[in-house]
Amino acid sequence: MIYLDNAATTMQKPQEVIDAVVEAMTSMGNAGRGANEASLSASRVIYDTREKLASLFHAENARQIAFTCNSTESLNIAIKGLLEPGDHVITTMLEHNSVLRPLYEMEMSGVELTIVKSDRKGRFDIEDMKNAVKENTKAIVCTNGSNLTGNYVDLKPIGTFAREKGVLFIVDASQTAGVFPIDVQDMCIDVLCFTGHKGLLGPQGTGGLYVREGLEVRPLKCGGSGVQTFSRTHPVQMPTALEAGTLNGHGIAGLNAALSYLERVGIDAIRHREQELMRRFYEGVKDIPGITVYGDFEDFNRCAIVTINLGDYDSGEVSDALLMDYGISTRPGGHCAPLMHEALGTVEQGAVRFSFSHYNTDEDVDTAIRAVRELSEEEE
């Protein structure tokens, strides 16, 4: 199988990630729940992972990193923990349902929502975002990279503007964490939400959020924390405030190993390789008869995603043919990005997404190009 669905999850992980999870399964206890070596070992691994994430994202300190199961949980914590009835929030048509659905839920409880429009190439104008700000605007919630088109969103101008206006800036880094450089302080990010199983190359069920020092977020959950047992309320100190219950220590051990791998190999090297593969595929398919490519390819500093359609064929049919006839795994359908499909005009058809990892090869890409060309010829 040629796996080209890395925007959903990076299937191929560094061997040390697999080894770390296996080792943790045989040795790790419950962090913060005892003074025995198994518990202390878990605590050390989890703290070291916080340190590595804080360093990767240039956070003020490791305490500002809280662990979650994925970006969806992180975004729910941020959105529901910061917005209140009467607040106004701004987002974009580029967003994933992990942003949109919590915002729609908050809208039903009295939060005012503005969605900045996108053009047919999946781009929005920051001036539209600026013009949407009101006196009661509490936050801007924005992706760093579209999971559908692969378009990269430059965060610094948005963050700088938001900070000047006293508006919170919440970022969905699902497609960029571990691939693109993120500096939460330089980019004026108040909350950064990320998952471990994509560009960070960790196991599924891992993720987290950075919360700017001094910003309090209402917890989504409360319960066991390992500290302040006799208090009737959950601790308010970070990161415990957002980490009720037992953490996925085994998964975090794998994430720890993945972060060491990223540090050793270099995220710049990984990004450049993935973009090289993405560009090779784009150049190979863009002029094939019947093929429509979505997104902005004027600049190749973008996520390693190329999304296409073949004529009027349903995207599911094309993806199935790629898998059954060529052994190529892609992602068809709506990609949990309904507004982006509205902007692209692909609500009924969906689209076929090819997303690349640095583990893919030139041969993988060339096989995919050949497959698209042959499917196009069959259509004729």
Side-chain angles (χ1 to χ4, degrees):
M1 181 179 67
I2 296 175
Y3 186 79
L4 299 179
D5 193 19
N6 292 282
T9 194
T10 47
M11 188 182 69
Q12 188 169 348
K13 311 292 186 183
Q15 184 61 44
E16 50 259 60
V17 173
I18 299 166
D19 294 342
V21 174
V22 172
E23 173 64 23
M25 292 286 286
T26 62
S27 63
M28 185 176 286
N30 201 330
R33 270 52 170 195
N36 57 77
E37 181 55 34
S39 176
L40 293 173
S41 172
S43 296
R44 284 191 287 267
V45 169
I46 288 169
Y47 183 76
D48 187 59
T49 310
R50 285 193 216 281
E51 291 263 289
K52 288 177 179 176
L53 287 165
S55 176
L56 179 65
F57 299 136
H58 300 270
E60 301 94 314
N61 58 71
R63 294 188 303 276
Q64 302 314 121
I65 303 291
F67 288 108
T68 64
C69 293
N70 44 49
S71 287
T72 298
E73 185 178 7
S74 299
L75 286 159
N76 271 265
I77 290 171
I79 290 168
K80 296 177 181 179
L82 289 169
L83 298 177
E84 298 177 349
D87 289 337
H88 174 237
V89 60
I90 301 167
T91 192
T92 78
M93 292 185 77
L94 279 66
E95 309 308 317
H96 188 277
N97 271 336
S98 56
V99 169
L100 295 175
R101 285 177 173 165
L103 287 176
Y104 292 148
E105 188 175 326
M106 296 304 291
E107 187 179 31
M108 288 188 288
S109 68
V111 170
E112 185 182 357
L113 173 62
T114 296
I115 301 175
V116 175
K117 301 294 184 183
S118 163
D119 66 15
R120 296 280 292 190
K121 287 192 174 183
R123 303 170 299 192
F124 69 90
D125 191 337
I126 189 175
E127 292 303 316
D128 292 339
M129 187 175 279
K130 292 179 178 180
N131 292 335
V133 173
K134 305 178 179 182
E135 287 187 6
N136 63 330
T137 302
K138 180 71 170 291
I140 294 171
V141 187
C142 181
T143 186
N144 191 198
S146 169
N147 74 306
L148 178 53
T149 65
N151 290 357
Y152 176 77
V153 176
D154 187 2
L155 298 177
K156 187 170 181 177
I158 302 173
T160 301
F161 162 74
R163 187 65 53 85
E164 290 171 353
K165 292 293 185 179
V167 173
L168 296 175
F169 188 31
I170 302 169
V171 172
D172 175 8
S174 298
Q175 294 297 329
T176 56
V179 182
F180 285 82
I182 298 174
D183 186 327
V184 293
Q185 297 187 72
D186 182 61
M187 295 174 173
C188 300
I189 297 170
D190 294 292
V191 181
L192 180 78
C193 302
F194 58 91
T195 193
H197 69 100
K198 300 189 183 191
L200 288 174
L201 300 176
Q204 294 177 351
T206 62
L209 70 167
Y210 154 82
V211 177
R212 174 176 53 78
E213 193 169 21
L215 178 63
E216 290 190 10
V217 179
R218 291 188 305 275
L220 191 65
K221 303 178 291 184
C222 61
S225 60
V227 296
Q228 301 179 26
T229 293
F230 296 99
S231 172
R232 297 181 67 171
T233 58
H234 196 75
V236 297
Q237 297 81 11
M238 282 288 290
T240 311
L242 304 180
E243 291 182 345
T246 297
L247 294 175
N248 178 10
H250 303 139
I252 292 170
L255 181 58
N256 184 285
L259 290 164
S260 294
Y261 173 86
L262 291 175
E263 184 176 359
R264 184 177 77 253
V265 176
I267 66 170
D268 290 342
I270 289 173
R271 182 176 68 261
H272 293 156
R273 175 56 179 159
E274 291 180 354
Q275 290 174 339
E276 181 181 70
L277 293 168
M278 173 263 297
R279 183 167 188 166
R280 185 185 187 97
F281 180 75
Y282 169 76
E283 297 292 352
V285 301
K286 66 181 178 68
D287 296 323
I288 293 176
I291 294 298
T292 301
V293 180
Y294 302 97
D296 181 7
F297 286 85
E298 293 177 9
D299 185 351
F300 283 93
N301 185 37
R302 60 196 318 283
C303 300
I305 291 170
V306 181
T307 300
I308 69 169
N309 269 320
L310 171 57
D312 296 326
Y313 277 88
D314 180 82
S315 60
E317 292 182 33
V318 176
S319 186
D320 285 348
L322 288 166
L323 180 62
M324 300 303 294
D325 298 339
Y326 299 94
I328 299 171
S329 293
T330 58
R331 169 79 184 275
H335 311 87
C336 303
L339 300 185
M340 192 72 271
H341 277 284
E342 286 184 20
L344 300 177
T346 52
V347 170
E348 298 299 324
Q349 188 178 14
V352 184
R353 183 183 68 191
F354 296 74
S355 49
F356 304 91
S357 163
H358 69 294
Y359 283 117
N360 287 125
T361 65
D362 290 351
E363 290 74 21
D364 291 341
V365 173
D366 292 343
T367 299
I369 294 169
R370 177 174 59 83
V372 172
R373 182 179 296 112
E374 290 179 359
L375 289 174
S376 173
E377 292 170 354
E378 289 178 12
E379 184 202 11
E380 295 176 356

Short mmCIF file of all heavy atoms in Angstrom, two decimals, residues 200-257:
data_model
loop_
_atom_site.label_atom_id
_atom_site.label_comp_id
_atom_site.label_asym_id
_atom_site.label_seq_id
_atom_site.Cartn_x
_atom_site.Cartn_y
_atom_site.Cartn_z
N LEU A 200 3.38 15.69 14.42
CA LEU A 200 4.25 15.41 15.56
C LEU A 200 4.69 13.96 15.61
O LEU A 200 5.53 13.60 16.44
CB LEU A 200 3.55 15.80 16.87
CG LEU A 200 3.42 17.31 17.12
CD1 LEU A 200 2.59 17.58 18.37
CD2 LEU A 200 4.78 17.98 17.24
N LEU A 201 4.08 13.11 14.77
CA LEU A 201 4.51 11.72 14.57
C LEU A 201 4.33 10.84 15.80
O LEU A 201 4.97 9.79 15.93
CB LEU A 201 5.98 11.66 14.11
CG LEU A 201 6.29 12.38 12.80
CD1 LEU A 201 7.79 12.34 12.51
CD2 LEU A 201 5.51 11.76 11.64
N GLY A 202 3.44 11.25 16.71
CA GLY A 202 3.17 10.47 17.90
C GLY A 202 1.98 9.54 17.73
O GLY A 202 1.37 9.47 16.67
N PRO A 203 1.61 8.84 18.81
CA PRO A 203 0.46 7.93 18.76
C PRO A 203 -0.86 8.68 18.74
O PRO A 203 -0.95 9.83 19.18
CB PRO A 203 0.59 7.13 20.07
CG PRO A 203 1.98 7.38 20.57
CD PRO A 203 2.35 8.74 20.08
N GLN A 204 -1.89 8.02 18.23
CA GLN A 204 -3.24 8.55 18.36
C GLN A 204 -3.62 8.59 19.84
O GLN A 204 -3.10 7.85 20.65
CB GLN A 204 -4.22 7.68 17.58
CG GLN A 204 -3.98 7.70 16.08
CD GLN A 204 -4.92 6.78 15.32
OE1 GLN A 204 -5.64 5.99 15.91
NE2 GLN A 204 -4.88 6.86 14.00
N GLY A 205 -4.54 9.51 20.17
CA GLY A 205 -4.95 9.65 21.56
C GLY A 205 -4.05 10.57 22.35
O GLY A 205 -4.13 10.62 23.59
N THR A 206 -3.17 11.29 21.65
CA THR A 206 -2.32 12.29 22.31
C THR A 206 -2.53 13.65 21.66
O THR A 206 -2.85 13.74 20.48
CB THR A 206 -0.83 11.92 22.21
OG1 THR A 206 -0.43 11.89 20.83
CG2 THR A 206 -0.55 10.57 22.85
N GLY A 207 -2.36 14.67 22.43
CA GLY A 207 -2.50 16.04 21.95
C GLY A 207 -2.38 16.98 23.11
O GLY A 207 -1.99 16.58 24.22
N GLY A 208 -2.70 18.24 22.88
CA GLY A 208 -2.59 19.18 23.99
C GLY A 208 -2.91 20.59 23.58
O GLY A 208 -3.34 20.86 22.44
N LEU A 209 -2.72 21.48 24.52
CA LEU A 209 -2.87 22.89 24.22
C LEU A 209 -1.90 23.70 25.06
O LEU A 209 -1.59 23.35 26.20
CB LEU A 209 -4.31 23.38 24.43
CG LEU A 209 -4.92 23.50 25.81
CD1 LEU A 209 -6.22 24.32 25.73
CD2 LEU A 209 -5.24 22.14 26.42
N TYR A 210 -1.41 24.76 24.44
CA TYR A 210 -0.63 25.77 25.14
C TYR A 210 -1.59 26.89 25.52
O TYR A 210 -2.42 27.31 24.70
CB TYR A 210 0.47 26.33 24.23
CG TYR A 210 0.89 27.74 24.60
CD1 TYR A 210 1.79 27.97 25.62
CD2 TYR A 210 0.34 28.85 23.94
CE1 TYR A 210 2.16 29.28 25.98
CE2 TYR A 210 0.70 30.14 24.28
CZ TYR A 210 1.61 30.34 25.31
OH TYR A 210 1.94 31.63 25.66
N VAL A 211 -1.50 27.36 26.76
CA VAL A 211 -2.29 28.49 27.23
C VAL A 211 -1.34 29.57 27.72
O VAL A 211 -0.46 29.30 28.57
CB VAL A 211 -3.24 28.08 28.37
CG1 VAL A 211 -4.02 29.29 28.89
CG2 VAL A 211 -4.20 26.99 27.91
N ARG A 212 -1.48 30.77 27.18
CA ARG A 212 -0.60 31.87 27.58
C ARG A 212 -0.61 32.06 29.09
O ARG A 212 -1.65 32.01 29.73
CB ARG A 212 -1.02 33.16 26.89
CG ARG A 212 -0.26 34.40 27.36
CD ARG A 212 -0.64 35.64 26.60
NE ARG A 212 -2.07 35.90 26.58
CZ ARG A 212 -2.76 36.43 27.60
NH1 ARG A 212 -2.16 36.70 28.76
NH2 ARG A 212 -4.06 36.65 27.48
N GLU A 213 0.57 32.28 29.64
CA GLU A 213 0.68 32.49 31.09
C GLU A 213 -0.18 33.69 31.51
O GLU A 213 -0.14 34.74 30.89
CB GLU A 213 2.15 32.74 31.45
CG GLU A 213 2.42 32.67 32.94
CD GLU A 213 3.91 32.65 33.25
OE1 GLU A 213 4.70 33.09 32.39
OE2 GLU A 213 4.28 32.19 34.35
N GLY A 214 -0.97 33.49 32.55
CA GLY A 214 -1.85 34.54 33.04
C GLY A 214 -3.27 34.45 32.52
O GLY A 214 -4.17 35.11 33.04
N LEU A 215 -3.50 33.63 31.48
CA LEU A 215 -4.84 33.45 30.92
C LEU A 215 -5.49 32.24 31.58
O LEU A 215 -4.93 31.15 31.56
CB LEU A 215 -4.76 33.25 29.41
CG LEU A 215 -6.08 33.00 28.68
CD1 LEU A 215 -7.01 34.20 28.80
CD2 LEU A 215 -5.82 32.68 27.20
N GLU A 216 -6.66 32.42 32.15
CA GLU A 216 -7.38 31.32 32.79
C GLU A 216 -8.46 30.78 31.86
O GLU A 216 -9.26 31.54 31.32
CB GLU A 216 -8.01 31.79 34.11
CG GLU A 216 -6.99 32.07 35.20
CD GLU A 216 -7.63 32.31 36.55
OE1 GLU A 216 -8.86 32.05 36.69
OE2 GLU A 216 -6.93 32.75 37.47
N VAL A 217 -8.46 29.47 31.70
CA VAL A 217 -9.44 28.78 30.87
C VAL A 217 -10.29 27.88 31.77
O VAL A 217 -9.74 27.08 32.54
CB VAL A 217 -8.74 27.92 29.79
CG1 VAL A 217 -9.76 27.17 28.95
CG2 VAL A 217 -7.84 28.78 28.91
N ARG A 218 -11.61 28.02 31.69
CA ARG A 218 -12.47 27.14 32.47
C ARG A 218 -12.28 25.70 32.01
O ARG A 218 -12.33 25.41 30.81
CB ARG A 218 -13.95 27.52 32.28
CG ARG A 218 -14.35 28.84 32.88
CD ARG A 218 -15.88 29.02 32.80
NE ARG A 218 -16.39 28.89 31.45
CZ ARG A 218 -16.43 29.89 30.57
NH1 ARG A 218 -15.95 31.09 30.89
NH2 ARG A 218 -16.91 29.70 29.36
N PRO A 219 -12.08 24.78 32.94
CA PRO A 219 -11.86 23.39 32.52
C PRO A 219 -13.11 22.77 31.95
O PRO A 219 -14.23 23.09 32.35
CB PRO A 219 -11.43 22.69 33.82
CG PRO A 219 -11.97 23.54 34.92
CD PRO A 219 -11.95 24.95 34.39
N LEU A 220 -12.93 21.89 30.99
CA LEU A 220 -14.05 21.15 30.40
C LEU A 220 -14.47 20.01 31.32
O LEU A 220 -15.63 19.60 31.34
CB LEU A 220 -13.61 20.58 29.04
CG LEU A 220 -14.68 19.98 28.13
CD1 LEU A 220 -15.67 21.06 27.68
CD2 LEU A 220 -14.04 19.33 26.92
N LYS A 221 -13.51 19.49 32.09
CA LYS A 221 -13.76 18.37 32.99
C LYS A 221 -13.17 18.69 34.37
O LYS A 221 -12.25 19.50 34.49
CB LYS A 221 -13.09 17.10 32.47
CG LYS A 221 -13.50 16.68 31.08
CD LYS A 221 -12.74 15.43 30.62
CE LYS A 221 -11.27 15.73 30.38
NZ LYS A 221 -10.53 14.56 29.84
N CYS A 222 -13.69 18.03 35.38
CA CYS A 222 -13.07 18.10 36.70
C CYS A 222 -13.10 16.71 37.31
O CYS A 222 -13.85 15.84 36.87
CB CYS A 222 -13.78 19.12 37.60
SG CYS A 222 -15.51 18.74 37.94
N GLY A 223 -12.26 16.51 38.31
CA GLY A 223 -12.21 15.18 38.92
C GLY A 223 -10.87 14.94 39.59
O GLY A 223 -10.28 15.84 40.18
N GLY A 224 -10.37 13.73 39.46
CA GLY A 224 -9.11 13.39 40.08
C GLY A 224 -7.95 14.15 39.48
O GLY A 224 -7.89 14.33 38.26
N SER A 225 -7.06 14.61 40.35
CA SER A 225 -5.91 15.38 39.88
C SER A 225 -4.61 14.94 40.52
O SER A 225 -3.53 15.34 40.09
CB SER A 225 -6.13 16.88 40.17
OG SER A 225 -6.27 17.08 41.57
N GLY A 226 -4.72 14.13 41.58
CA GLY A 226 -3.51 13.70 42.28
C GLY A 226 -3.04 14.70 43.32
O GLY A 226 -2.15 14.40 44.11
N VAL A 227 -3.62 15.89 43.33
CA VAL A 227 -3.26 16.93 44.31
C VAL A 227 -4.54 17.58 44.83
O VAL A 227 -5.60 17.47 44.22
CB VAL A 227 -2.34 18.01 43.70
CG1 VAL A 227 -1.01 17.42 43.29
CG2 VAL A 227 -3.00 18.68 42.49
N GLN A 228 -4.44 18.24 45.96
CA GLN A 228 -5.57 18.97 46.57
C GLN A 228 -6.81 18.08 46.69
O GLN A 228 -7.94 18.48 46.39
CB GLN A 228 -5.89 20.24 45.78
CG GLN A 228 -4.72 21.20 45.68
CD GLN A 228 -5.02 22.44 44.87
OE1 GLN A 228 -6.18 22.86 44.75
NE2 GLN A 228 -3.98 23.06 44.32
N THR A 229 -6.58 16.86 47.16
CA THR A 229 -7.65 15.86 47.21
C THR A 229 -8.87 16.31 48.01
O THR A 229 -10.01 16.00 47.65
CB THR A 229 -7.10 14.55 47.79
OG1 THR A 229 -6.15 14.00 46.88
CG2 THR A 229 -8.21 13.53 48.03
N PHE A 230 -8.66 17.06 49.09
CA PHE A 230 -9.77 17.40 49.98
C PHE A 230 -10.47 18.70 49.60
O PHE A 230 -11.39 19.13 50.29
CB PHE A 230 -9.27 17.44 51.43
CG PHE A 230 -8.79 16.10 51.90
CD1 PHE A 230 -7.43 15.79 51.91
CD2 PHE A 230 -9.70 15.11 52.29
CE1 PHE A 230 -7.00 14.54 52.32
CE2 PHE A 230 -9.26 13.87 52.70
CZ PHE A 230 -7.91 13.57 52.71
N SER A 231 -10.06 19.30 48.51
CA SER A 231 -10.77 20.47 47.99
C SER A 231 -11.98 20.01 47.20
O SER A 231 -11.91 19.06 46.44
CB SER A 231 -9.84 21.31 47.09
OG SER A 231 -10.57 22.32 46.45
N ARG A 232 -13.11 20.71 47.36
CA ARG A 232 -14.32 20.35 46.63
C ARG A 232 -14.28 20.85 45.19
O ARG A 232 -15.14 20.49 44.38
CB ARG A 232 -15.55 20.92 47.36
CG ARG A 232 -15.73 20.33 48.74
CD ARG A 232 -16.95 20.89 49.44
NE ARG A 232 -18.20 20.47 48.78
CZ ARG A 232 -19.40 20.67 49.30
NH1 ARG A 232 -19.53 21.30 50.47
NH2 ARG A 232 -20.49 20.28 48.65
N THR A 233 -13.32 21.69 44.88
CA THR A 233 -13.18 22.22 43.53
C THR A 233 -11.87 21.74 42.91
O THR A 233 -10.90 21.44 43.60
CB THR A 233 -13.22 23.75 43.51
OG1 THR A 233 -12.17 24.25 44.34
CG2 THR A 233 -14.56 24.25 44.04
N HIS A 234 -11.88 21.69 41.59
CA HIS A 234 -10.69 21.25 40.86
C HIS A 234 -9.59 22.31 40.97
O HIS A 234 -9.88 23.51 40.99
CB HIS A 234 -11.06 21.01 39.39
CG HIS A 234 -10.06 20.21 38.64
ND1 HIS A 234 -9.93 18.85 38.79
CD2 HIS A 234 -9.12 20.57 37.73
CE1 HIS A 234 -8.97 18.41 38.00
NE2 HIS A 234 -8.47 19.43 37.35
N PRO A 235 -8.32 21.89 41.02
CA PRO A 235 -7.23 22.87 41.07
C PRO A 235 -7.27 23.84 39.90
O PRO A 235 -7.67 23.47 38.78
CB PRO A 235 -5.97 21.99 41.01
CG PRO A 235 -6.41 20.66 41.55
CD PRO A 235 -7.83 20.51 41.11
N VAL A 236 -6.84 25.07 40.13
CA VAL A 236 -6.87 26.09 39.08
C VAL A 236 -5.49 26.32 38.47
O VAL A 236 -5.36 27.03 37.47
CB VAL A 236 -7.42 27.43 39.63
CG1 VAL A 236 -8.86 27.26 40.09
CG2 VAL A 236 -6.55 27.96 40.77
N GLN A 237 -4.46 25.73 39.06
CA GLN A 237 -3.12 25.92 38.55
C GLN A 237 -2.89 25.09 37.29
O GLN A 237 -3.32 23.94 37.20
CB GLN A 237 -2.06 25.54 39.61
CG GLN A 237 -2.09 26.40 40.86
CD GLN A 237 -3.15 25.97 41.86
OE1 GLN A 237 -3.75 24.91 41.72
NE2 GLN A 237 -3.39 26.80 42.87
N MET A 238 -2.22 25.68 36.31
CA MET A 238 -1.83 24.95 35.11
C MET A 238 -0.63 24.05 35.45
O MET A 238 0.21 24.43 36.26
CB MET A 238 -1.43 25.92 34.00
CG MET A 238 -2.61 26.55 33.29
SD MET A 238 -3.47 25.37 32.22
CE MET A 238 -2.27 25.12 30.91
N PRO A 239 -0.55 22.88 34.80
CA PRO A 239 -1.48 22.33 33.80
C PRO A 239 -2.60 21.49 34.40
O PRO A 239 -3.49 21.04 33.69
CB PRO A 239 -0.56 21.47 32.95
CG PRO A 239 0.44 20.95 33.94
CD PRO A 239 0.69 22.07 34.91
N THR A 240 -2.54 21.29 35.75
CA THR A 240 -3.52 20.43 36.41
C THR A 240 -4.94 20.89 36.15
O THR A 240 -5.87 20.07 36.05
CB THR A 240 -3.25 20.40 37.93
OG1 THR A 240 -1.87 20.15 38.16
CG2 THR A 240 -4.07 19.31 38.61
N ALA A 241 -5.15 22.20 36.00
CA ALA A 241 -6.49 22.74 35.81
C ALA A 241 -7.20 22.12 34.61
O ALA A 241 -8.43 21.97 34.62
CB ALA A 241 -6.41 24.26 35.62
N LEU A 242 -6.46 21.72 33.60
CA LEU A 242 -7.06 21.20 32.37
C LEU A 242 -6.78 19.72 32.16
O LEU A 242 -6.98 19.21 31.06
CB LEU A 242 -6.54 22.01 31.18
CG LEU A 242 -6.77 23.53 31.25
CD1 LEU A 242 -6.21 24.21 30.00
CD2 LEU A 242 -8.24 23.86 31.43
N GLU A 243 -6.34 19.03 33.21
CA GLU A 243 -5.95 17.62 33.06
C GLU A 243 -6.62 16.71 34.09
O GLU A 243 -5.94 15.95 34.79
CB GLU A 243 -4.43 17.48 33.16
CG GLU A 243 -3.68 18.06 32.00
CD GLU A 243 -2.18 17.86 32.09
OE1 GLU A 243 -1.67 17.51 33.18
OE2 GLU A 243 -1.49 18.07 31.07
N ALA A 244 -7.92 16.76 34.23
CA ALA A 244 -8.61 15.87 35.16
C ALA A 244 -8.51 14.42 34.71
O ALA A 244 -8.65 14.11 33.53
CB ALA A 244 -10.08 16.27 35.28
N GLY A 245 -8.22 13.54 35.66
CA GLY A 245 -8.15 12.12 35.35
C GLY A 245 -6.77 11.66 34.93
O GLY A 245 -5.83 12.46 34.81
N THR A 246 -6.66 10.38 34.70
CA THR A 246 -5.38 9.78 34.31
C THR A 246 -5.02 10.15 32.88
O THR A 246 -5.84 10.00 31.97
CB THR A 246 -5.45 8.25 34.44
OG1 THR A 246 -5.67 7.90 35.81
CG2 THR A 246 -4.16 7.60 33.95
N LEU A 247 -3.83 10.63 32.69
CA LEU A 247 -3.35 10.96 31.35
C LEU A 247 -2.99 9.69 30.57
O LEU A 247 -2.77 8.63 31.15
CB LEU A 247 -2.11 11.86 31.44
CG LEU A 247 -2.31 13.25 32.03
CD1 LEU A 247 -0.96 13.95 32.17
CD2 LEU A 247 -3.24 14.08 31.16
N ASN A 248 -2.92 9.83 29.26
CA ASN A 248 -2.49 8.74 28.40
C ASN A 248 -0.96 8.66 28.44
O ASN A 248 -0.27 9.02 27.50
CB ASN A 248 -3.00 8.98 26.97
CG ASN A 248 -2.55 7.90 25.99
OD1 ASN A 248 -2.02 6.86 26.38
ND2 ASN A 248 -2.76 8.15 24.71
N GLY A 249 -0.48 8.17 29.56
CA GLY A 249 0.97 8.13 29.77
C GLY A 249 1.70 7.31 28.73
O GLY A 249 2.80 7.67 28.28
N HIS A 250 1.13 6.19 28.33
CA HIS A 250 1.78 5.33 27.33
C HIS A 250 1.88 6.06 26.00
O HIS A 250 2.92 6.01 25.32
CB HIS A 250 0.98 4.04 27.16
CG HIS A 250 0.80 3.28 28.43
ND1 HIS A 250 -0.38 2.66 28.76
CD2 HIS A 250 1.64 3.06 29.48
CE1 HIS A 250 -0.25 2.07 29.93
NE2 HIS A 250 0.96 2.30 30.39
N GLY A 251 0.81 6.76 25.61
CA GLY A 251 0.86 7.54 24.38
C GLY A 251 1.82 8.71 24.47
O GLY A 251 2.54 9.02 23.52
N ILE A 252 1.84 9.36 25.63
CA ILE A 252 2.74 10.50 25.82
C ILE A 252 4.20 10.05 25.77
O ILE A 252 5.06 10.77 25.27
CB ILE A 252 2.41 11.22 27.14
CG1 ILE A 252 1.03 11.89 27.03
CG2 ILE A 252 3.48 12.26 27.49
CD1 ILE A 252 0.50 12.44 28.34
N ALA A 253 4.46 8.84 26.24
CA ALA A 253 5.83 8.30 26.12
C ALA A 253 6.22 8.18 24.65
O ALA A 253 7.35 8.49 24.26
CB ALA A 253 5.91 6.94 26.80
N GLY A 254 5.27 7.75 23.81
CA GLY A 254 5.53 7.69 22.38
C GLY A 254 5.71 9.07 21.79
O GLY A 254 6.57 9.29 20.92
N LEU A 255 4.90 10.03 22.24
CA LEU A 255 5.04 11.41 21.77
C LEU A 255 6.38 11.99 22.17
O LEU A 255 7.02 12.73 21.39
CB LEU A 255 3.90 12.25 22.34
CG LEU A 255 3.85 13.73 21.94
CD1 LEU A 255 3.77 13.89 20.42
CD2 LEU A 255 2.68 14.43 22.61
N ASN A 256 6.85 11.63 23.35
CA ASN A 256 8.16 12.09 23.81
C ASN A 256 9.25 11.62 22.87
O ASN A 256 10.13 12.40 22.46
CB ASN A 256 8.41 11.56 25.23
CG ASN A 256 9.71 12.07 25.84
OD1 ASN A 256 10.79 11.61 25.47
ND2 ASN A 256 9.60 13.00 26.76
N ALA A 257 9.18 10.35 22.47
CA ALA A 257 10.17 9.81 21.54
C ALA A 257 10.05 10.48 20.17
O ALA A 257 11.07 10.74 19.50
CB ALA A 257 9.98 8.30 21.41
#
